[in-house]
Amino acid sequence: MKALVTGGTGTLGRLVVPRLQEAGCDVRILSRQGRDGRGDIEFLTGDLASGVGVQAAVQGAEIIVHCAGGKKGDGDKARRLVQAASRAGTRHLVYISVVGADRIPISSGIDRAMFGYFESKLAAERGVADSGLPWTTLRVTQLYESMLMLVHQMARLPVVPVPAGWRFQPIDGCEVADRLVELALGAPAGLVPDLGGPRVYEMAELVRSYLQTRGMHRLVLPIWLPGNAARVFRAGANLAPDQAVGRLSWEDFLAAGTSSPMASTSAGT
Ligand SMILES: NC(=O)c1ccc[n+]([C@@H]2O[C@H](COP(=O)([O-])OP(=O)(O)OC[C@H]3O[C@@H](n4cnc5c(N)ncnc54)[C@H](OP(=O)(O)O)[C@@H]3O)[C@@H](O)[C@H]2O)c1
């Protein structure tokens, strides 16, 4: 089975690639940077923002696992991918989205500045669902690996500002990758149940446990963020407490020697 992983060089994609290979797939990766193929992985250069190289990348791929994404513009990226995949006759397009994509209202410039990411994920979801291609979309909460990078950056400051009332339900990237690959190899299923980590944490708790693991001392300062989207976020629109199916805890993730963000992202491709 030929599979294309967009974003196969990213935090999640690099966990998806080896799992697809273990399942017997012939894997290629779409990346903006030209790279030499490694082992039996083929790298194809392309940019979903401009469309350059995308048609060649999808050609012949029976499955596409679409993990490429950024802070903004994911709707347009998905649209370009879908157009190319439709021409290529892809048999299954699998998309990774975020819990809350459909629940965070964007009604002002402030909302968009802080939460435009969710808006673009919803636009991408719609592009996939309306593509006419057989599709599956999985919404997940934030990955431990990404949360770690975030708190690592925040902890560089002598005083760490933390949005008051924000909560997260982070999940192990490996568990997300397992589920994505299971879905990719199965029949197209549309929008499947969300996937969330085992526990909901106050953001300040996540920061403090990181500081503790690293033996760092910082003042954690709650800040109040304005806007309608921030209010809905405080109400838990990014959480999936009924789908708390992740097994590895944040504390175990930190204790497993991944308390440096580089350690958690250096594996794989
Ligand atoms: N991480 C999370 O907590 C989380 C939670 C829910 C959903 N998601 C979703 O999961 C997906 C993967 O997230 P991630 O954390 O793995 O992201 P990431 O580490 O930032 O990686 C992003 C990937 O997207 C590729 N990419 C970005 N712009 C591209 C473009 N214009 N054309 C082609 N490739 C492009 C990058 O490839 P190159 O740099 O090699 O071109 C890279 O491999 C995203 O859609 C994200 O929204 C992530």
Side-chain angles (χ1 to χ4, degrees), residues 13 62 118-119 128 155 164 167 172 182 264:
E62 291 150 276
F118 288 83
E119 187 180 39
V128 168
R167 289 169 294 154
D172 178 25
E182 179 186 29
S264 74

Side-chain angles (χ1 to χ4, degrees), residues 10-17 19 67 96 138 140-147 169-181 195-198 246-250 253 258 264:
T11 308
L12 179 60
R14 74 179 73 185
L15 298 171
V16 168
V17 166
R19 286 165 171 77
C67 292
I96 179 79
L138 172 67
V140 303
T141 53
Q142 283 64 41
L143 306 189
Y144 289 146
E145 292 82 350
S146 303
M147 196 55 73
Q169 189 186 342
I171 186 164
D172 178 25
C174 292
E175 293 179 20
V176 173
D178 287 343
R179 178 69 176 135
L180 260 190
V181 169
L195 195 62
R247 296 174 303 277
L248 186 80
S249 72
W250 168 248
F253 173 80
T258 47
S264 74

